[in-house]
Amino acid sequence: YLHGLFPALGQTFSEYQLSLISGLVIFTGLFIINWFGLKEGAILGYVLAAFSLIPLVVLTAAPFATGHVELANITGNWLPADWSWDAHHILILFGIFAIAQWSACGWETAAIYGPEYKNPAKDVPKALFACGIICLFSYVLVQTAVIGVLGVDGVAAEAVSPLIPVAQATFGQAGSVVTIIMLIAAMILIIQTAYLGSSRALHSMSTEGNLPRYLGKTNRHGTPFIALLVTAAFNMVLISLGSLAAILAAAAIGYTCANGISLFAYVRARKHPALAQLERPFKAPRGWKHVAMLFGLFNLPLCLVGVVYLNSLEIGWTSTWLGFIVLSLYIPVWLYSQHETRRRNNRELPTTIPSNSKPDDDAADLEKVPSL
């Protein structure tokens, strides 16, 4: 995008160098902004959303109004010419589902901030439905407009973004410049959403004993700054790999596993007597556990097998191994976290009970012992 907006950059930096510099600048800026709390991060999100969503709405609607959309480009290309419903193509279809949901289903991050909402019982579903409607608009109408203008072959042939030639066809050269600015703002918005959401998730897992305690440290503004630094460092490592396709493919594997595990955990929580009785500000209707089980099985194993198969065909096994290695790194981290939790609880346990204490006093003392 930057090379397209500023061609002179291509004479000074390679795409790899520019990626590293951009990543460093973006994560440094986001760290400084998010250091001051969730409110500042939300304000940045509003600004970026205005710069990305408003032009996107105009760019999506304009081709329909100007008559550039040819529905035959869509209705005549539902399936590839060589498509057949055999095991090979069905596995590819499941792999495409995995990659599609990785890019389209990210609005669950709105629930990460649930404990910090003023009224979680009402605000969580409002946030989820609002984000879902925006994503439904984006991933249906934008696709329709782009493929309707360019056709499937035109989209596949576009090296940077198919939105750029759509904007050029509708608004001329000025449309291309505005679109690139919009895409950069949208990209930073995606990074900010994932960056802030990931740090909050790491903080939550740390306080619950599922990650090392140092990830839960916060500054005076309540920001989990250690989690922010770790997330930024991890993303810089991914950028340094230099293979966008491998990163996206590995991320799709991780997201598919996370989706399946989360859905199965929800079903478990609704069925387990001790977990089902826990008080929660927001609870999905009782019948949703069956929906969760259905989509959990859809993710694991169907989409997981499909995305591994698709990756092996398209870009080799590197991305698959990268995805599973990153996931497997959590096992030793979790074991260490459990050891850390046990050690902390053992330090807090009373070593002796006074000999002159009464049975009732003993029970009262034991009630004060943190639960293991």
Side-chain angles (χ1 to χ4, degrees):
Y1 295 159
L2 289 174
H3 276 167
L5 188 60
F6 307 105
L9 289 174
Q11 301 172 6
T12 308
F13 302 103
S14 67
E15 286 193 9
Y16 179 70
Q17 292 171 330
L18 198 57
S19 296
L20 289 174
I21 295 171
S22 300
L24 186 60
V25 170
I26 289 172
F27 281 112
T28 300
L30 292 182
F31 179 82
I32 293 172
I33 292 172
N34 290 308
W35 172 270
F36 296 99
L38 193 60
K39 182 180 179 180
E40 280 64 28
I43 292 174
L44 176 63
Y46 285 136
V47 174
L48 292 171
F51 274 97
S52 56
L53 289 178
I54 294 174
L56 183 64
V57 171
V58 175
L59 184 60
T60 301
F64 291 96
T66 58
H68 284 83
V69 174
E70 296 286 345
L71 291 180
N73 288 335
I74 300 172
T75 58
N77 290 281
W78 289 119
L79 294 170
D82 62 344
W83 181 268
S84 62
W85 292 98
D86 55 13
H88 167 72
H89 286 91
I90 290 174
L91 284 174
I92 289 177
L93 185 61
F94 280 125
I96 292 173
F97 270 123
I99 293 175
Q101 72 171 355
W102 172 84
S103 62
C105 300
W107 71 79
E108 81 277 354
T109 51
I112 291 176
Y113 314 106
E116 301 178 67
Y117 291 155
K118 291 181 179 178
N119 187 350
K122 293 183 178 179
D123 293 342
V124 168
K126 281 182 182 178
L128 288 172
F129 278 112
C131 292
I133 290 170
I134 292 172
C135 289
L136 181 65
F137 161 80
S138 301
Y139 285 91
V140 175
L141 292 184
V142 173
Q143 293 277 4
T144 303
V146 169
I147 297 177
V149 173
L150 302 179
V152 175
D153 293 335
V155 171
E158 177 54 41
V160 180
S161 171
L163 283 171
I164 295 175
V166 170
Q168 194 165 4
T170 309
F171 297 108
Q173 188 60 37
S176 300
V177 175
V178 172
T179 301
I180 293 176
I181 295 173
M182 177 202 75
L183 290 170
I184 292 174
M187 187 64 65
I188 298 175
L189 176 60
I190 293 169
I191 296 171
Q192 160 70 352
T193 302
Y195 187 43
L196 197 56
S198 297
S199 65
R200 293 281 163 175
L202 292 176
H203 171 263
S204 176
M205 294 176 69
S206 173
T207 57
E208 293 168 358
N210 292 315
L211 280 176
R213 286 180 61 81
Y214 69 87
L215 289 173
K217 291 184 178 179
T218 58
N219 62 13
R220 60 191 181 91
H221 301 288
T223 300
F225 66 98
I226 300 294
L228 284 174
L229 289 172
V230 170
T231 303
F234 182 76
N235 278 276
M236 289 302 298
V237 171
L238 289 180
I239 293 173
S240 67
L241 294 177
S243 173
L244 177 62
I247 295 171
L248 296 181
I253 291 174
Y255 190 80
T256 300
C257 291
N259 259 1
I261 292 170
S262 298
L263 290 165
F264 292 143
Y266 168 73
V267 174
R268 171 71 172 166
R270 293 305 298 260
K271 287 187 174 182
H272 193 283
L275 298 175
Q277 299 305 317
L278 291 176
E279 185 60 35
R280 294 182 176 89
F282 172 72
K283 287 185 179 181
R286 189 175 300 274
W288 278 95
K289 65 181 179 183
H290 305 297
V291 178
M293 176 61 76
L294 177 65
F295 279 97
L297 293 172
F298 175 72
N299 278 271
L300 298 175
L302 297 179
C303 284
L304 179 61
V305 173
V307 74
V308 169
Y309 183 73
L310 182 60
N311 288 348
S312 68
L313 294 177
E314 295 287 327
I315 55 178
W317 287 95
T318 301
S319 62
T320 298
W321 285 115
L322 176 63
F324 283 116
I325 288 172
V326 170
L327 286 172
S328 65
L329 289 176
Y330 178 65
I331 297 175
V333 172
W334 182 81
L335 291 173
Y336 171 80
S337 303
Q338 298 305 297
H339 170 71
E340 188 180 52
T341 301
R342 286 194 297 269
R343 188 174 57 185
R344 184 177 70 255
N345 288 340
N346 287 337
R347 285 201 303 265
E348 294 174 354
L349 284 170
T351 54
T352 58
I353 296 177
S355 58
N356 60 348
S357 64
K358 299 178 182 179
D360 290 341
D361 294 332
D362 296 347
D365 288 338
L366 290 175
E367 285 179 358
K368 299 175 183 178
V369 177
S371 172
L372 296 178

